[in-house]
Amino acid sequence: MFALNAVAAFVWASMGEGLGPQEIRRGLSATFRITGGQADEWFELALDTFFGVWTAGAEPPPLDEAGIRAATQERGGVDYRLFDKILRVAAPGLAITALDDLLAGLRIGGNGLEIGADAPDLLLEIEAVDDGYRLTSAGEWLSTVAPNGLVAAVEQAIIQAIVPETPHLLAFHAAMLERQGHAVLLPAPSGSGKTTLSALLAARGWRYGSDELVLCDRDLRWRALPFPPCIKAENYALVETWHPRLAEAREHERFARKVKFLPLAVEALAAPVSHVVFPFYQPDLETGLVATDKMTGLSELLAQAVYVPAGFDERAVASLVRWHERAAYYRLCYSDPVQAAEMLEKMPLSGLEWHQP
């Protein structure tokens, strides 16, 4: 089967990896730089080849072998836009297919095959090796990872390279969602339940921005890192009750834990934040949402600052204080996520009008 042609080999290997038809078609598009329609045609032709649609000894339907050879000889890349930066990933098709779980919503040009910039801000090159994938950037080795750890390694490389180069005041470990025109920040350390709560709020109609990282810009807009929610294995069953598609999602390894990225439309939220809610989940807690005083709120928010860029000076501090004076802080302790979501939806968003400085 591998001797037939490059497309048949790609499809056969992808099936062996357990990928579904849609994933294989996307991989064909990315690897051979063809349209979705061409990928559909080539995929069906490969299946015809495998399952013997034509009679024994007959010639198979014609393939554009010259086009296939040209596509495989040119090592291209898929371009993504993150914040104001262009990321290019040059990788085998199977790797691109896996990375779609994290980056599909950021592709430039619809099918992701249009080059967005002659010189990307970050180029990641991914090469298949015996034990997984080797990641390099600008000729510098970053890591060698097992196949199921590729997405987490790329995520880490992107954040470490792009966030410091994106102008902002501070970066926070937080989720960000929007409802009724008001952006709500959910800062919390890992294990506090912010991702699970974010997934539920998204299912209830909130605009989802991020569950991981949010930047406070110098104009006091907040920008969410537009990656889909990363669901830990112990929460699969619960989140599947709100998002059944999670059951079909591919599993990855991230920081030595099994995870899935929730197939969710991620929006590049960039808006003033008027409400900060500190979530904390514990099975035996009574669910409650209470306002907290501003100094306690600011202290807890700054505890979740994960990056302070150069230029955080007195003017930056003054800007942050101006925002802080108009923000409302709450603490949300909960054991029942549905009850917690209902409380957030009753939170008086209209009680605080935000005016950007």
Side-chain angles (χ1 to χ4, degrees), residues 318-333:
S319 293
L320 185 66
V321 169
R322 286 198 304 271
W323 165 82
H324 153 76
E325 289 173 346
R326 300 192 60 82
Y329 295 94
Y330 293 84
R331 182 173 289 109
L332 173 64
C333 298

Side-chain angles (χ1 to χ4, degrees), residues 84-140:
D84 301 320
K85 306 297 182 182
I86 300 296
L87 160 71
R88 183 170 298 164
V89 178
L94 289 177
I96 291 293
T97 301
L99 290 173
D100 271 350
D101 293 350
L102 178 71
L103 300 174
L106 305 181
R107 281 193 178 203
I108 294 174
N111 63 7
L113 302 178
E114 298 177 16
I115 300 301
D118 293 333
D121 298 286
L122 173 64
L123 171 63
L124 290 179
E125 295 184 286
I126 301 173
E127 179 185 3
V129 295
D130 290 341
D131 52 351
Y133 292 103
R134 174 184 173 88
L135 278 69
T136 59
S137 178
E140 180 180 349

Side-chain angles (χ1 to χ4, degrees), residues 172-175 185-189 192 194 275-279 300-301 304:
F172 294 92
H173 187 214
L185 195 69
L186 302 174
S192 299
K194 68 180 181 301
H275 293 65
V276 180
V277 178
F278 301 100
E300 293 188 15
L301 174 62
Q304 298 306 316

